[in-house]
């Protein structure tokens, strides 16, 4: 009587291809009472992605949609779309998902797909971002959570976290420090989006 009715949490689909440490950071955040989202399904395009184990350990439903088992990209994406439709999804979080989605797919979810990228976009799009930042002589790098649009790594930025690049950094040492920031950034970005109308 008289209490506030609980606010509906955002339903997340997390798409992965591998290790899933960002997935883990979202799983951990969802364990916090006031976190405004819950993971409804984890979708992997790789059967052996370690992130699937993380999802199982957290009792989150998983689906594997393998590109190799589909005749073409359209069939692959249709399988993902129908999986998304079978859960109550508000937001797709790409977390180390190593496939480029078509503009048709993105258009059907535009404004409701986000990604994390290990550089300070618009610098160093694509792969090998740590090497690129060091080779460019940058003094700082970091990570970016951004909306996904048809242009790879080009959507509007939701938030960034910075780290200094140290004189003796290698791509591996830099990646390690950026990853720590990624794990803070992704849950924070989801909190921000929960306050907007998706
Ligand atoms: C992260 O560095 C992320 O920024 C990039 O892919 C990596 C995925 O790592 N998009 P994990 O699978 O979340 O551990």
């Amino acid at each position: 009587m008289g209490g506030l009715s609980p606010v509906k949490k955002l339903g997340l689909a997390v798409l992965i291809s591998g290790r899933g440490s960002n997935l883990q950071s979202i799983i951990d955040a969802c364990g916090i009472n006031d976190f405004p989202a819950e993971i409804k399904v984890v979708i992997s395009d790789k059967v052996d992605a370690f992130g699937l184990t993380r999802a199982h350990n957290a009792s989150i439903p998983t689906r594997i949609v393998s590109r190799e088992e589909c005749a073409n990209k359209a069939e692959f994406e249709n399988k993902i779309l129908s999986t998304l439709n079978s859960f109550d999804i508000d937001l797709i979080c790409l977390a180390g998902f190593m496939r480029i989605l078509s503009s048709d797919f993105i258009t059907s979810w535009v404004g409701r797909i986000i990604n994390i990228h290990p550089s300070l976009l618009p610098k160093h799009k694509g792969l090998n971002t740590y090497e690129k930042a060091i080779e460019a002589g940058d003094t700082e790098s970091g990570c970016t959570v951004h909306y996904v649009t048809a242009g790879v790594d080009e959507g509007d930025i939701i938030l960034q976290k910075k780290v200094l690049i140290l004189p003796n950094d290698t791509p591996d040492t830099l990646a390690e420090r950026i990853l720590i920031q990624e794990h803070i950034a992704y849950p924070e970005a989801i909190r921000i989006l929960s306050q907007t109308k998706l």
Side-chain angles (χ1 to χ4, degrees):
M1 285 263 291
L4 289 173
S5 56
V7 176
K8 184 186 173 287
K9 293 191 179 221
L10 282 183
L12 308 180
V14 184
L15 272 56
I16 61 165
S17 297
R19 179 177 62 177
S21 69
N22 279 288
L23 164 66
Q24 187 67 55
S25 75
I26 301 169
I27 291 173
D28 293 345
C30 289
I32 299 167
N33 239 343
D34 77 335
F35 194 71
E38 60 185 317
I39 303 174
K40 295 286 180 73
V41 63
V42 170
I43 302 174
S44 174
D45 69 319
K46 297 284 176 211
V47 66
D48 58 352
F50 183 64
L52 290 169
T53 304
R54 300 179 190 269
H56 292 151
N57 290 342
S59 304
I60 296 167
T62 60
R63 297 289 184 272
I64 296 161
V65 182
S66 163
R67 172 67 183 86
E68 291 73 27
E69 285 171 16
C70 297
N72 49 42
K73 186 164 177 164
E75 184 185 325
F76 172 69
E77 293 191 343
N78 282 335
K79 281 191 180 170
I80 296 178
L81 287 171
S82 61
T83 304
L84 294 167
N85 288 336
S86 66
F87 291 86
D88 187 16
I89 303 302
D90 301 299
L91 181 68
I92 302 173
C93 300
L94 305 184
F97 184 65
M98 298 303 287
R99 299 268 166 193
I100 293 176
L101 296 165
S102 70
S103 56
D104 281 352
F105 183 106
I106 292 164
T107 304
S108 64
W109 276 84
V110 77
R112 296 179 299 150
I113 315 183
I114 62 173
N115 181 45
I116 189 156
H117 182 77
S119 80
L120 296 176
L121 289 173
K123 281 191 159 184
H124 313 312
K125 297 173 184 171
L127 298 174
N128 305 319
T129 55
Y130 319 107
E131 286 87 340
K132 287 176 184 166
I134 292 171
E135 277 164 21
D138 295 351
T139 53
E140 60 180 19
S141 187
C143 62
T144 304
V145 183
H146 63 96
Y147 287 101
V148 175
T149 57
V152 175
D153 301 329
E154 285 187 350
D156 285 352
I157 291 169
I158 299 160
L159 71 82
Q160 296 186 308
K161 299 273 177 200
K162 291 183 180 175
V163 307
L164 290 179
I165 298 182
L166 306 175
N168 55 356
D169 258 333
T170 64
D172 286 349
T173 59
L174 180 58
E176 261 175 45
R177 290 205 312 290
I178 291 178
L179 194 62
I180 293 168
Q181 295 306 312
E182 290 187 37
H183 297 162
I184 299 167
Y186 221 146
E188 207 172 304
I190 293 167
R191 269 192 195 274
I192 291 171
L193 292 187
S194 76
Q195 287 157 12
T196 68
K197 191 163 164 41
L198 286 172

